[in-house]
Amino acid sequence: MEINKIHQHQGSGPSISLLQTIGDRAESDNMGRHEHERSVHYTSFYQRFFDYSSSSSLISTRFIGLCVLVFIYYITYGYLQELMFTLDGFDNTAWFLTCYQFLVYAVLSFIHLGISGLEQRRISYASYILLASLTVTTMGLSNYAVAYLNYPTQVMFKCCKLIPVLIGGILIQKKTFNRYDVAAAFCMSIGLIFFTLADSKVQPNFNLYGVIIICSALVADAAIGNYQEKIMKEYHVPNVEIVFYSFLFGFGFVLIGLLITNNFFSSLHFWNMHPVPTYGYGLIFSIFGYLGIDIVLTLIKEYGALICVTVTTCRKAITIILSFTLFSKPFVF
């Protein structure tokens, strides 16, 4: 009996040790499994988070960086544009400014092409001629509209580009939009109505012709964004190629128009009389505009025309505030 107890006692040691080892290992495996499940859950969550943010989310570092650059470039662009139009007589040279701007864009993009080493054209000349025609329409009429509208009102109309962009996306790219996009378009329309009514009361030289001009620019602008998005996704066209050919052809169109209407030499004479506020400011204005266009095309390519328009609309809101702050003008509540 003592022997049995001794054997039982001796046998129980390894058994207890073995059971404890097995239990510890099972517990460890169980904890490890839970940790693995948690890590898989967290990994999948963060993977989904960062995949979403890198592709379409508005919280990625790259997207925020692009937005900051849009704000910097185009706020400076808008300030210089309004500053030039404060010069007496500059209103009559708005199309010459567009011609000068297109020339600077073409030269800068040509230099950029040479640095990038891109030689092969991706799409046909016909596509670029169409794109250049739309670009001339929107930029030329936008500059021209400043002569007839209060600058914040002109910017406010451009903010409502979201509306024709929605329509253009449906017609050109066969897209569908949700109720929030439509609601945003209606809210912008209401704001635009109030802005226009107020401007007609406080602006002495308010002209309905200016409203027609800026609306025409908006239609062309909406078509540009959707058409650019379409060709960039289908043909993988780099930004610099689109800018170069669009503004090279656009420069030719505007130059021919100025020569036909006999506005070229008169505008050139006026600019020669005021070289600093015309050539000087116009050059800086064009450089910032060129940098802004490159960022805008990047936003269109990576996030779509609607997201890009939303970002530029936020920028325009700040431009309106700065316009009232830096340039004295009448306003109502």
Side-chain angles (χ1 to χ4, degrees):
M1 193 169 182
E2 291 292 335
I3 295 173
N4 289 336
K5 286 182 180 178
I6 292 172
H7 282 295
Q8 187 176 3
H9 176 70
Q10 289 177 346
S12 64
S15 299
I16 293 172
S17 174
L18 181 61
L19 288 174
Q20 286 178 346
T21 302
I22 294 173
D24 292 342
R25 185 174 299 172
E27 184 178 358
S28 174
D29 290 343
N30 194 26
M31 291 176 61
R33 186 170 63 253
H34 287 304
E35 289 294 330
H36 176 69
E37 288 175 356
R38 277 201 304 245
S39 66
V40 169
H41 173 72
Y42 290 145
T43 302
S44 61
F45 170 76
Y46 286 116
Q47 185 66 37
R48 288 196 304 269
F49 176 81
F50 285 112
D51 285 347
Y52 180 70
S53 66
S54 63
S55 60
S56 61
S57 174
L58 306 187
I59 55 177
S60 66
T61 304
R62 176 171 175 78
F63 179 81
I64 294 173
L66 291 173
C67 292
V68 170
L69 290 176
V70 166
F71 275 67
I72 293 173
Y73 293 151
Y74 275 112
I75 286 175
T76 308
Y77 176 91
Y79 170 78
L80 290 169
Q81 184 182 36
E82 186 169 7
L83 182 62
M84 286 186 291
F85 276 90
T86 58
L87 179 65
D88 291 336
F90 191 85
D91 298 352
N92 300 322
T93 66
W95 279 102
F96 189 84
L97 171 64
T98 304
C99 185
Y100 181 75
Q101 185 179 2
F102 275 49
L103 176 62
V104 174
Y105 284 7
V107 172
L108 291 176
S109 57
F110 180 75
I111 297 172
H112 193 177
L113 269 176
I115 296 174
S116 303
L118 299 172
E119 297 180 356
Q120 186 175 2
R121 181 171 41 84
R122 302 289 180 91
I123 60 176
S124 64
Y125 284 122
S127 298
Y128 281 125
I129 290 174
L130 174 60
L131 198 57
S133 302
L134 294 172
T135 305
V136 168
T137 302
T138 182
M139 295 185 66
L141 293 181
S142 294
N143 289 336
Y144 189 49
V146 180
Y148 296 93
L149 294 176
N150 194 353
Y151 184 76
T153 302
Q154 185 253 22
V155 175
M156 186 65 186
F157 266 94
K158 294 181 73 175
C159 287
C160 290
K161 185 170 67 173
L162 177 62
I163 301 169
V165 165
L166 286 172
I167 299 173
I170 295 171
L171 297 178
I172 297 175
Q173 303 192 68
K174 310 300 181 184
K175 285 186 173 183
T176 57
F177 299 99
N178 58 41
R179 59 182 180 275
Y180 300 109
D181 298 326
V182 178
F186 277 112
C187 289
M188 285 188 171
S189 300
I190 295 172
L192 179 61
I193 291 171
F194 279 105
F195 231 88
T196 308
L197 291 176
D199 197 38
S200 64
K201 294 180 180 179
V202 301
Q203 182 74 0
N205 62 341
F206 180 84
N207 196 322
L208 186 60
Y209 180 58
V211 175
I212 298 174
I213 292 173
I214 195 63
C215 286
S216 302
L218 280 182
V219 173
D221 206 356
I224 285 177
N226 284 287
Y227 189 61
Q228 286 173 338
E229 181 181 354
K230 183 178 180 179
I231 62 175
M232 282 192 293
K233 288 184 176 179
E234 287 184 2
Y235 303 101
H236 305 287
V237 185
N239 298 351
V240 62
E241 180 181 320
I242 291 179
V243 174
F244 174 68
Y245 286 104
S246 299
F247 288 100
L248 180 64
F249 287 124
F251 168 72
F253 294 157
V254 179
L255 181 61
I256 292 172
L258 287 171
L259 292 172
I260 291 175
T261 57
N262 294 323
N263 288 326
F264 179 80
F265 293 105
S266 59
S267 299
L268 183 65
H269 176 71
F270 178 84
W271 278 45
N272 290 336
M273 291 176 60
H274 309 87
V276 175
T278 54
Y279 292 109
Y281 293 166
L283 178 61
I284 303 173
F285 164 77
S286 301
I287 290 173
F288 276 96
Y290 175 79
L291 295 173
I293 284 177
D294 185 61
I295 301 299
V296 164
L297 288 175
T298 302
L299 282 171
I300 291 174
K301 180 185 294 185
E302 297 184 11
Y303 299 94
L306 184 64
I307 295 297
C308 178
V309 170
T310 306
V311 173
T312 55
T313 299
C314 293
R315 184 274 306 174
K316 290 182 179 74
I318 296 180
T319 301
I320 291 173
I321 296 172
L322 290 177
S323 178
F324 279 107
T325 305
L326 300 176
F327 299 95
S328 60
K329 51 176 62 68
F331 65 93
V332 295
F333 177 77

